[in-house]
Amino acid sequence: MKANGRHYRSIWFDAGKRCVKIIDQRWLPHEFRVVDLVNRDDFVVAIRDMWVRGAPLIGATAAYGMAMQMVLDPSDLSIEESWEILHKTRPTAINLRWALDDMRRLLSETPIEKRAAVAFARAGEICDEDVECNRMIGVHGLSIIREIAARKPEGEPVRILTHCNAGWLATVDWGTATSPIYHAVDAGIPVHVWVDETRPRNQGAQLTAWEMAGNGISHQLIVDNAGGHLMQHGLVDLVIVGTDRTTARGDVCNKIGTYLKALAAHDNDVPFYVALPSPTIDWTVADGVREIPIEERDASEVTHVQGRLPDGTVTQVQICPDETPAGNPAFDVTPARLITGLITERGICEASVKGLVGLFPERLAG
């Protein structure tokens, strides 16, 4: 996708400088910063402190973190330590564990002198695979938008509500929930995107809105609590969200507030779809509400907000009394019964064991 008129991926390897480059998302939309990650500690900080975020991008970043560590120490002990250290950074997003498991298995089977080269090659493949997964999510999701557009008066946009940022900034490119939107625009279908602000970190306001503006897509920022009102008044045709972990039976763990949007959509007969690349499916978990660990982040993300002052300075300000404590669960779980369908790289299915196994029959053997 584009930033400042130029195509970027959210992460890439700079062979000349022998480092991995990322877009430091903490500063968007006010500043566009590209930073270098050169050792394992850099990757730990980047994931933990949300320089990068979004389940697919977290996984890709962790894979490159393992690769950079193999340059410094390709030993068996280094592989295990790196897995442990990187895995602790974000407990909810399953792509992190998926990528680390994949890298650990591959490197353990590789002669020590070849581990660095093999690790970088595999990290690059994980990135390329993510791009293709998300492109295909867009291809399949386009059919939903096209069907809705065919029922609307000519020229009237399909109005899509999003939550958090499941865009190209959350993946390597294309995004999950945004990929069908980008494909619809490319196909000439008019769309309008309702962008949830997504408190407390405001990923919708800061990131999704920035993506939409940068790619010339009609959009409007709304407060998180406005979605139900818009649905009641027939102003939302479709909800598409992403996911950080999807269970084998179709429950979806996503950014806090997703569950409330699903309830509002269900009450107003608005289709509610979840876009996910298959590495986001945790086949070992059935009951998302009881089995998925929910990350509790620092209270300062709730008590403070970041913004730009009139003089251009980007800073944080406190919004509550000094004495007020804050809770900050980062995710919630939407039960499968509230989900119209899951959009994957292999197609669209119902949110159920039957639906998922229908698209991924090889899992029956697992």
Side-chain angles (χ1 to χ4, degrees):
M1 296 292 103
K2 291 182 179 179
N4 302 322
R6 173 184 165 188
H7 176 263
Y8 281 89
R9 286 186 170 186
S10 58
I11 186 170
W12 65 99
F13 179 61
D14 187 329
K17 294 184 66 176
R18 299 294 296 175
C19 70
V20 173
K21 291 183 176 292
I22 61 166
I23 299 169
D24 187 345
Q25 298 182 31
R26 296 172 300 164
W27 301 97
L28 292 173
H30 309 299
E31 298 179 16
F32 184 79
R33 297 187 184 183
V34 174
V35 299
D36 298 346
L37 306 181
V38 298
N39 57 54
R40 186 175 64 196
D41 288 345
D42 290 345
F43 287 86
V44 169
V45 172
I47 297 171
R48 183 193 65 212
D49 295 350
M50 297 181 70
W51 302 15
V52 297
R53 23 71 54 207
L57 179 55
I58 288 171
T61 304
Y64 268 124
M66 289 278 280
M68 291 296 287
Q69 180 63 16
M70 291 302 97
V71 175
L72 300 175
D73 181 2
S75 68
D76 290 347
L77 178 60
S78 179
I79 293 172
E80 294 303 318
E81 287 182 343
S82 297
W83 191 100
E84 292 289 346
I85 291 170
L86 287 163
H87 186 252
K88 290 178 181 177
T89 54
R90 298 293 303 276
T92 301
I94 195 60
N95 300 62
L96 173 62
R97 192 181 74 197
W98 172 85
L100 290 172
D101 284 348
D102 187 86
M103 295 293 285
R104 179 169 64 179
R105 175 195 55 77
L106 177 64
L107 293 173
S108 297
E109 299 170 352
T110 300
I112 194 167
E113 68 275 8
K114 296 181 178 180
R115 284 177 175 172
V118 168
F120 276 108
R122 180 57 187 144
E125 289 173 357
I126 286 174
C127 289
D128 291 342
E129 289 167 5
D130 182 65
V131 174
E132 180 59 15
C133 277
N134 295 324
R135 186 186 72 81
M136 289 306 300
I137 285 171
V139 170
H140 295 302
L142 172 60
S143 65
I144 299 169
I145 298 175
R146 195 186 297 278
E147 181 180 337
I148 294 173
R151 301 196 299 264
K152 297 178 72 69
E154 184 175 355
E156 184 176 307
V158 177
R159 297 159 300 187
I160 304 169
L161 186 141
T162 67
H163 189 67
C164 194
N165 172 257
W168 70 267
L169 289 168
T171 66
V172 180
D173 207 347
W174 283 106
T176 56
T178 58
S179 188
I181 295 170
Y182 289 131
H183 278 79
V185 171
D186 289 345
I189 299 173
V191 301
H192 180 77
V193 181
W194 298 112
V195 179
D196 269 3
E197 61 180 348
T198 322
R199 284 277 293 148
R201 292 188 64 95
N202 294 313
Q203 295 103 321
Q206 295 180 348
L207 304 179
T208 301
W210 182 79
E211 282 194 35
M212 296 296 103
N215 287 275
I217 297 173
S218 173
H219 66 286
Q220 190 170 4
L221 177 65
I222 58 172
V223 298
D224 287 347
N225 291 330
H229 167 78
L230 295 175
M231 293 182 208
Q232 281 183 326
H233 289 269
L235 297 175
V236 179
D237 299 306
L238 171 67
V239 180
I240 310 180
V241 301
T243 172
D244 288 81
R245 189 186 303 207
T246 300
T247 72
R249 72 179 189 187
D251 297 337
V252 168
C253 183
N254 193 49
K255 183 57 59 181
I256 194 76
T258 303
Y259 175 46
L260 296 180
K261 290 300 184 302
L263 287 171
H266 186 266
D267 192 50
N268 291 279
D269 296 320
V270 174
F272 184 96
Y273 283 90
V274 180
L276 64 145
S278 56
T280 310
I281 305 170
D282 187 347
W283 298 95
T284 69
V285 169
D287 188 333
V289 174
R290 291 174 174 81
E291 297 181 60
I292 295 177
I294 300 298
E295 179 182 3
E296 181 79 22
R297 294 188 59 81
D298 193 276
S300 65
E301 294 181 349
V302 176
T303 60
H304 292 69
V305 294
Q306 179 172 291
R308 185 175 61 190
L309 300 178
D311 66 2
T313 302
V314 178
T315 188
Q316 287 193 338
V317 296
Q318 184 172 317
I319 60 171
C320 67
D322 292 340
E323 300 80 11
T324 299
N328 189 13
F331 303 93
D332 59 26
V333 175
T334 298
R337 63 181 175 82
L338 298 176
I339 299 169
T340 306
L342 305 174
I343 312 171
T344 80
E345 71 269 23
R346 294 190 184 178
I348 303 169
C349 69
E350 66 178 28
S352 67
V353 174
K354 180 181 178 181
L356 284 168
V357 170
L359 289 183
F360 301 93
E362 66 273 18
R363 289 295 167 176
L364 284 174

